[in-house]
Amino acid sequence: MNFLRGVMGGQSAGPQPSGAETIQKLCDRVASSTLLEDRRDAVRALKSLSKKYRLEVGIQAMNHLIHVLQTDRSDSEIIGYALDTLYNIISNDLEEEEQEENSQKQMEDLGSQFTEIFIKQQENVTLLLTYLEEFDFHVRWPGVKLLTALLKQQGPQVQQVILVSPMGVSRLMDLLADSREVIRNDGVLLLQQLTKSNAAIQKIVAFENAFERLLDIITEEGNSDGGIVVEDCLLLLQNLLKNNNSNQNFFKEGSYIQRMKPWFEVGDDNAGWSAQKVTNLHLMLQLVRVLVSPTNPPGAASSCQKAMFHCGLLQQLCTILMATGVPADILTETINTVSEVIRGCHMNQDYFASVNAPSTPPRPAIVVLLMSMVNERQPFVLRCAVLYCFQCFLYKNPKGQGEIVSTLLPSTIDATGNSVSAGQLLCGGLFSTDSLSNWCAAVALAHALQDNAALKEQLLRVQLATSLGNPPVSLLQQCTNILSQGDKIDRRGSKVQTRVGLLILLCTWLSNCPIAVTHFLHNSANVPFLTGQIAENLGVEEHVVQGLCALLLGISIYYNDNSLENYRKEKLKQLIEKRIGKENFIEKLGFISKHELYSRAAQKPQPNFSSPDYMMFDHEFTKLVKELEGVLTKAIYKTTEEDKKEEEVKKTLEQHDNIVTHYKSVIRVQDLELEELKKQVESLEVQKEHLQATVTQQVSQIQQHKDQYNLLKVQLGKDNQHHSSGNDVAQMNGVPPEEISKLREEAEEWKHKLERLEEQLREKDSLIEALKSSPPAVGTAEGSSQTKTGLEVESELHREAETLRAQIHLQSTEIAVLQTEKQELLQQMSAAPAPRPGDRSLETADLEGRVMALLQESKELKNEIVGLAEEKTSLKQQLDSANSTVAILRTEKTALQQEVAESKKEQDDLLVLLADQDQKIIALKNKLKELGEPVEDEEDTESGDQGEEDEEDEKEERED
């Protein structure tokens, strides 16, 4: 104990041992002592020495400490000391004094070396993970810190060990649910290190309900008003979502985007934001940008954009955008965030166009932002953010492009001058003396014309008033005038930036617009200026301008429609060959793509520059250069004959396209006609169902009459059983012979009617069988479809006829039963003996009463038979109606078969014509290939043919 007392600071006699000797003795005590208290005191002493003697403790004590972790699990105190000691050895986070004393050792990266020794045995990391399950604060917290330090030193190796460890990540996720904030907060830091650059662990953490827990922590801490814990949670969320499409989709489908809206609720008083709040809100905005980044898959980004609109997040961001008192860096990041939320999403772009700034009178948010962009007093990063927002608003948004260009047209300009439009601001920036404003306005206007030939033609109508008394000039003419003046105008900023911006605008404007090319060439000074700029040997800083001039001249040749005699394609090529030289022209054209700033701009859409001098190229313009560079090179080397052949091929292709379009319209008309025929068939089926319902109603009425007849028959049978045979004879004798003969005649008449009905039914059956056995007139798929429909209708009618025949058969059976009963009565009358006179005198009164009753019953039976006769007549009429329906359907089937045959013939003619056209196209393409012209790949052609086959398949399916 004296030894330990000396180590812990007590006084002892004799010379003091060195640090290494003390550490060696402590390690021996840890290894050899049998008492737990002695080992605990020794580990405590090692912990106190581990910061000052980091190297010695790490070399001598690491194995002993790991052994303690393996064997003394039951004592939480010694485990805590061991974990703290290992943390001090591995971590580089030392105090300032210790950093100065051990600066040489830190340079040797002891932490990384000790970490490598520790994780060499993977069981050590697994053992550490088991200690994280302990609830004891003195064990769990040092374990969290130690694992965090290991991840900082050797992240990928430790990540791999944790990934293969059973339930490794799940154990770490439990730290977020710890009620002790220290452990929970350090658990967030641990997960930050764990999820860096490892998509597999990111997915596991996300599906362990990390989003829910982190958002709950952010809410509990006060959202953007929270402390550094909120910052740590946001950094962890960024690790989980950035460049991880699976987690982004899970975040969206889990409705977590809706929970982000309260983050951006700011009050009216925005003065005095704390530095932590600015940091938190900045990270929150970056998290929104991660979900809608242009680098994400288009479908995923689009779904997140729509979700942000529906939950009100975009509206909240626009509120911050128009609020006052917001710090500049937050405002800049908000503009960038809104830009990517609306980029390419028409719904969000339309909403953004409707946002107004809280001013008097209200102004559109786009106008307010453009005012900041062309104002040279605004910060550079803010102006770049506004330009990016304007570009995203116009990206794939023809409606927005049209609205911007319309503010420049003469018919829409506000003559009173009370309001400033977006077009006026762009023109003002385009012709100001600030080179950065010139470049931003030119690029913004180029985006308003991107991939929109109609607006390029509309912009040619714009007229500008240069000075009092001078006639107005077109916008195109004014741009070329400023371009030709060059450095003569005193401007603030880069010397070449203004010219580069104007050349970008002109190249975008003239590309794929022959009318604009004609207007440009109509000014006789433009072509000499371009050739002069290209031919001169200027400095390196002018190489960009020379390359853009070459690009503009190449566009004027490639999209030239030869409407100006002096500036036809061949004459311009000759001019290039004489004044510049084709090789020199191609070399100058290559200056653009070889420039360093061109490569930077091509990487991502956002204009992110460190200083105004680096603003030379726009992302969308780099796409245009990449598309035109090879095409223009080939166009310069083409001969006149090749140009003529190319024009002929283009005309032939246009004619082919017109023919194909015509036949497609014919097919559409035929499809509409088929749809109408199908509707007619459906109406006939409705009529059939109505008739079937009527027949069902008649059947129910017949059943009611049948029940009434059975009841009367039962009553008559009871009366016959009640009287004796003598009375029966007397009753029959009392019936007048006229009544009996009438009954016989009526029975015979009903027999004849029944035979006629049966004969009519047999005729209908034979007709239906003939319709079934008749072969279809056309063997095509369309004909089979129509025949199938007709057979279905015939089968329905056949079933109805069978039903009617069964009903008539039942009625005939009933009539036969009545006839049998009558025959039996007649036989009884003929076989009965004559009555005695005495008996007759006694029973006369009774017999007369019974005879009257029989007569009454006979009348009722006659009335019933009359009703049945009327019902049979109605059934006969229904049969006649069914026969007429069959005849009509048969006629319609024949007509449909004829129409299908005609349609088949027309389609065969169309296929023959298309085959001829395809052969011509193949021959023309071969000629083009021989001439060195670019021709569409066969995959594109096959995809087009596949599209036509799909249309034919859809047509056949509709007919089926």
Side-chain angles (χ1 to χ4, degrees):
M1 296 301 292
N2 290 332
F3 170 72
L4 291 176
R5 193 179 295 113
V7 171
M8 300 305 294
Q11 299 296 328
S12 61
Q16 294 293 332
S18 64
E21 293 174 352
T22 303
I23 293 169
Q24 181 62 43
K25 292 178 180 179
L26 290 172
C27 292
D28 294 340
R29 181 64 61 88
V30 172
S32 61
S33 179
T34 57
L35 293 176
L36 179 60
E37 294 181 357
D38 291 345
R39 294 198 304 274
R40 185 190 306 132
D41 292 336
V43 174
R44 184 191 297 117
L46 288 172
K47 173 188 173 184
S48 64
L49 296 172
S50 59
K51 292 185 178 181
K52 186 174 182 179
Y53 299 100
R54 181 182 179 191
L55 177 61
E56 291 80 2
V57 174
I59 293 174
Q60 299 181 42
M62 178 173 286
N63 292 331
H64 299 293
L65 294 172
I66 294 173
H67 183 70
V68 168
L69 294 177
Q70 294 172 349
T71 57
D72 292 330
R73 187 183 184 92
S74 59
D75 187 71
S76 60
E77 191 173 356
I78 191 173
I79 295 297
Y81 292 149
L83 292 173
D84 281 330
T85 306
L86 288 171
Y87 171 74
N88 293 336
I89 295 171
I90 292 172
S91 175
N92 289 329
D93 300 333
L94 300 178
E95 297 179 0
E96 294 181 1
E97 296 179 357
E98 294 167 349
Q99 286 180 359
E100 293 175 0
E101 295 174 2
N102 301 301
S103 58
Q104 185 63 31
K105 296 180 182 179
Q106 284 188 8
M107 291 176 63
E108 297 174 0
D109 198 12
L110 295 178
S112 179
Q113 296 177 19
F114 287 137
T115 300
E116 190 173 352
I117 295 171
F118 184 84
I119 67 175
K120 192 172 184 179
Q121 298 294 329
Q122 295 187 5
E123 295 81 4
N124 296 337
V125 179
T126 306
L127 179 64
L128 181 58
L129 290 175
T130 61
Y131 278 113
L132 293 181
E133 295 180 340
E134 297 290 337
F135 186 74
D136 193 328
F137 180 81
H138 297 289
V139 175
R140 198 172 202 184
W141 187 39
V144 172
K145 293 194 296 180
L146 176 57
L147 187 56
T148 305
L150 292 173
L151 286 165
K152 286 181 179 179
Q153 299 295 345
Q154 297 287 342
Q157 293 84 346
V158 180
Q159 285 175 341
Q160 193 61 32
V161 176
I162 295 175
L163 193 59
V164 299
S165 177
M167 300 295 292
V169 178
S170 299
R171 294 172 182 172
L172 301 181
M173 288 301 301
D174 293 337
L175 298 173
L176 297 180
D178 200 304
S179 58
R180 295 159 294 192
E181 291 189 2
V182 175
I183 295 179
R184 184 199 68 183
N185 298 342
D186 282 351
V188 173
L189 296 175
L190 170 60
L191 291 173
Q192 280 184 25
Q193 300 297 326
L194 180 66
T195 55
K196 279 185 178 179
S197 305
N198 194 310
I201 293 180
Q202 290 169 2
K203 292 179 183 179
I204 296 173
V205 171
F207 282 93
E208 287 285 346
N209 206 21
F211 294 139
E212 183 75 26
R213 296 182 184 181
L214 291 173
L215 292 174
D216 289 340
I217 294 173
I218 293 173
T219 304
E220 292 171 5
E221 295 292 327
N223 294 328
S224 60
D225 294 324
I228 195 170
V229 178
V230 174
E231 179 182 350
D232 294 335
C233 291
L234 292 170
L235 290 172
L236 177 54
L237 285 172
Q238 284 192 17
N239 285 351
L240 295 175
L241 293 173
K242 195 169 185 178
N243 299 324
N244 194 317
N245 299 330
S246 175
N247 283 1
Q248 290 175 7
N249 189 45
F250 180 69
F251 191 85
K252 178 186 69 69
E253 292 181 352
S255 300
Y256 296 118
I257 292 179
Q258 288 79 346
R259 297 188 59 179
M260 298 170 68
K261 181 185 175 184
W263 296 355
F264 306 102
E265 293 178 355
V266 296
D268 297 332
D269 185 11
N270 295 317
W273 284 28
S274 65
Q276 188 61 55
K277 181 175 182 179
V278 172
T279 302
N280 291 343
L281 199 55
H282 198 274
L283 291 173
M284 290 172 176
L285 292 169
Q286 287 182 348
L287 190 62
V288 175
R289 294 185 64 184
V290 166
L291 295 172
V292 294
S293 173
T295 58
N296 293 345
S302 176
S303 59
C304 289
Q305 288 172 332
K306 293 177 182 178
M308 290 177 183
F309 174 79
H310 291 301
C311 74
L313 180 58
L314 174 59
Q315 294 83 333
Q316 205 68 44
L317 292 174
C318 291
T319 302
I320 298 176
L321 196 66
M322 295 291 105
T324 56
V326 179
D329 52 347
I330 294 298
L331 181 60
T332 301
E333 190 64 22
T334 303
I335 294 173
N336 289 326
T337 305
V338 171
S339 304
E340 294 183 353
V341 172
I342 67 174
R343 188 176 191 269
C345 181
H346 292 167
M347 177 172 57
N348 293 2
Q349 289 168 337
D350 292 341
Y351 171 76
F352 184 70
S354 65
V355 175
N356 289 324
S359 60
T360 306
R363 289 178 176 175
I366 299 175
V367 174
V368 176
L369 292 175
L370 288 177
M371 292 173 68
S372 300
M373 186 185 72
V374 298
N375 186 356
E376 56 186 300
R377 298 177 182 176
Q378 294 293 339
F380 172 66
V381 290
L382 179 63
R383 299 175 73 180
C384 290
V386 173
L387 176 61
Y388 184 45
C389 184
F390 191 73
Q391 293 173 353
C392 292
F393 171 67
L394 298 178
Y395 182 71
K396 294 183 178 180
N397 185 12
K399 180 181 176 182
Q401 290 176 321
E403 292 174 353
I404 296 299
V405 172
S406 66
T407 59
L408 287 167
L409 298 179
S411 59
T412 57
I413 294 178
D414 186 4
T416 61
N418 293 330
S419 62
V420 180
S421 65
Q424 292 172 343
L425 289 171
L426 291 176
C427 284
L430 192 63
F431 306 128
S432 71
T433 56
D434 178 32
S435 61
L436 181 59
S437 298
N438 299 153
W439 190 90
C440 291
V443 171
L445 196 55
H447 276 263
L449 303 175
Q450 195 78 36
D451 299 328
N452 200 324
L455 293 182
K456 292 177 182 179
E457 297 178 8
Q458 289 289 328
L459 201 62
L460 295 172
R461 297 168 47 202
V462 177
Q463 299 290 322
L464 301 175
T466 55
S467 60
L468 187 63
N470 293 329
V473 297
S474 66
L475 176 62
L476 181 64
Q477 180 65 41
Q478 185 66 12
C479 290
T480 56
N481 291 341
I482 296 175
L483 184 64
S484 61
Q485 291 175 4
D487 297 334
K488 296 178 182 179
I489 301 177
D490 185 17
R491 299 182 185 276
R492 293 180 295 276
S494 174
K495 295 181 180 180
V496 299
Q497 198 171 41
T498 298
R499 287 179 288 164
V500 169
L502 290 172
L503 287 169
I504 289 175
L505 173 60
L506 291 174
C507 290
T508 306
W509 194 347
L510 268 60
S511 63
N512 202 22
C513 185
I515 298 177
V517 171
T518 302
H519 279 72
F520 177 77
L521 295 176
H522 193 270
N523 186 351
S524 58
N526 289 337
V527 173
F529 168 74
L530 293 178
T531 55
Q533 288 287 317
I534 300 169
E536 290 182 8
N537 293 322
L538 303 174
V540 178
E541 60 180 8
E542 295 287 338
H543 283 180
V544 178
V545 176
Q546 286 185 310
L548 291 173
C549 288
L551 179 65
L552 182 58
L553 185 57
I555 291 173
S556 301
I557 295 173
Y558 186 73
Y559 293 104
N560 192 346
D561 58 359
N562 295 326
S563 58
L564 296 177
E565 183 64 28
N566 294 332
Y567 295 103
R568 298 175 64 86
K569 286 184 178 182
E570 57 271 15
K571 291 187 177 181
L572 290 176
K573 291 179 184 180
Q574 293 173 4
L575 182 64
I576 289 175
E577 189 171 2
K578 292 179 181 179
R579 295 284 303 275
I580 304 171
K582 292 183 178 180
E583 291 77 8
N584 190 23
F585 179 85
I586 300 302
E587 181 184 357
K588 297 294 178 65
L589 183 62
F591 283 166
I592 302 175
S593 57
K594 293 177 182 179
H595 202 279
E596 179 185 1
L597 299 179
Y598 174 88
S599 303
R600 290 185 185 180
Q603 292 176 0
K604 55 183 180 179
Q606 182 180 0
N608 190 8
F609 305 102
S610 57
S611 68
D613 294 334
Y614 291 97
M615 293 185 72
M616 286 293 171
F617 294 104
D618 171 63
H619 179 75
E620 293 297 326
F621 180 70
T622 59
K623 294 181 181 179
L624 179 64
V625 173
K626 186 177 180 180
E627 177 185 350
L628 292 178
E629 188 174 10
V631 176
L632 297 181
T633 302
K634 293 181 180 179
I636 294 299
Y637 284 104
K638 282 181 183 177
T639 62
T640 306
E641 295 179 356
E642 291 175 347
D643 285 337
K644 291 181 179 179
K645 290 181 180 179
E646 183 181 355
E647 291 294 333
E648 293 177 358
V649 170
K650 286 183 179 179
K651 291 181 180 179
T652 305
L653 291 175
E654 289 177 359
Q655 293 176 357
H656 168 71
D657 292 338
N658 294 334
I659 294 173
V660 172
T661 303
H662 171 69
Y663 279 102
K664 284 183 179 179
S665 63
V666 171
I667 292 173
R668 289 193 196 98
V669 172
Q670 292 178 351
D671 288 340
L672 294 175
E673 293 177 353
L674 288 175
E675 289 295 331
E676 292 179 358
L677 294 174
K678 287 182 179 179
K679 290 179 180 179
Q680 293 178 2
V681 172
E682 290 176 358
S683 65
L684 292 175
E685 289 179 353
V686 171
Q687 293 179 4
K688 183 200 73 174
E689 293 176 357
H690 178 68
L691 292 174
Q692 188 175 4
T694 305
V695 171
T696 304
Q697 183 179 2
Q698 296 291 337
V699 169
S700 62
Q701 292 178 359
I702 291 172
Q703 185 64 34
Q704 291 177 359
H705 292 305
K706 181 179 177 182
D707 295 339
Q708 294 176 1
Y709 171 75
N710 291 334
L711 181 61
L712 292 173
K713 187 170 68 174
V714 170
Q715 292 177 354
L716 181 61
K718 289 181 179 179
D719 292 338
N720 290 336
Q721 292 177 1
H722 181 71
H723 298 289
S724 61
S725 59
N727 292 336
D728 293 339
V729 173
Q731 290 172 1
M732 297 305 299
N733 289 334
V735 176
E738 294 82 0
E739 295 292 335
I740 294 174
S741 61
K742 287 181 180 180
L743 289 174
R744 289 178 177 174
E745 292 175 358
E746 288 178 357
E748 292 295 330
E749 185 178 355
W750 281 115
K751 275 186 179 180
H752 293 305
K753 289 182 179 180
L754 180 62
E755 290 175 357
R756 287 197 299 271
L757 288 174
E758 289 178 349
E759 184 179 357
Q760 291 178 0
L761 282 176
R762 285 193 295 271
E763 292 177 356
K764 301 307 177 186
D765 289 342
S766 62
L767 177 60
I768 290 172
E769 292 296 331
L771 289 173
K772 285 184 178 181
S773 60
S774 62
V778 181
T780 61
E782 296 85 351
S784 64
S785 174
Q786 299 296 337
T787 306
K788 180 179 178 182
T789 305
L791 291 176
E792 290 177 355
V793 175
E794 292 170 3
S795 62
E796 291 292 335
L797 294 175
H798 179 65
R799 287 195 292 271
E800 292 175 3
E802 289 292 337
T803 304
L804 294 175
R805 187 169 65 180
Q807 294 174 0
I808 295 172
H809 181 70
L810 290 175
Q811 292 179 359
S812 63
T813 304
E814 293 173 0
I815 293 172
V817 171
L818 289 175
Q819 290 176 352
T820 304
E821 291 178 356
K822 290 180 182 180
Q823 290 295 332
E824 291 176 356
L825 290 175
L826 291 173
Q827 291 176 2
Q828 291 177 3
M829 289 175 60
S830 61
R836 289 179 296 176
D839 294 334
R840 184 170 182 178
S841 61
L842 294 174
E843 297 176 353
T844 300
D846 185 54
L847 288 174
E848 288 177 354
R850 294 186 178 279
V851 166
M852 294 300 294
L854 286 174
L855 290 174
Q856 184 66 27
E857 290 177 356
S858 176
K859 289 181 180 180
E860 292 177 357
L861 289 173
K862 288 171 64 178
N863 293 332
E864 186 71 20
I865 291 171
V866 171
L868 291 174
E870 292 175 354
E871 290 177 358
K872 289 184 178 181
T873 304
S874 176
L875 290 174
K876 182 179 179 182
Q877 292 176 355
Q878 292 178 4
L879 278 174
D880 295 336
S881 177
N883 293 334
S884 63
T885 303
V886 170
I888 292 171
L889 290 175
R890 188 174 182 183
T891 303
E892 290 179 351
K893 183 188 79 170
T894 304
L896 287 173
Q897 290 175 348
Q898 292 176 356
E899 291 177 358
V900 169
E902 293 175 359
S903 176
K904 176 66 176 176
K905 184 177 179 181
E906 291 178 358
Q907 291 178 356
D908 291 338
D909 296 339
L910 174 60
L911 290 174
V912 171
L913 181 59
L914 289 176
D916 293 339
Q917 292 294 330
D918 288 339
Q919 293 297 327
K920 292 180 181 179
I921 291 172
I922 291 170
L924 291 173
K925 285 182 177 180
N926 291 332
K927 291 181 180 180
L928 286 174
K929 288 179 179 179
E930 293 174 359
L931 296 173
E933 288 292 325
V935 184
E936 292 180 355
D937 296 332
E938 293 185 356
E939 294 178 356
D940 298 336
T941 308
E942 291 174 358
S943 64
D945 295 339
Q946 184 66 34
E948 296 179 359
E949 293 175 3
D950 292 340
E951 290 181 1
E952 294 180 2
D953 294 339
E954 290 176 2
K955 175 182 176 183
E956 293 177 1
E957 290 175 0
R958 289 197 299 268
E959 292 174 354
D960 292 339

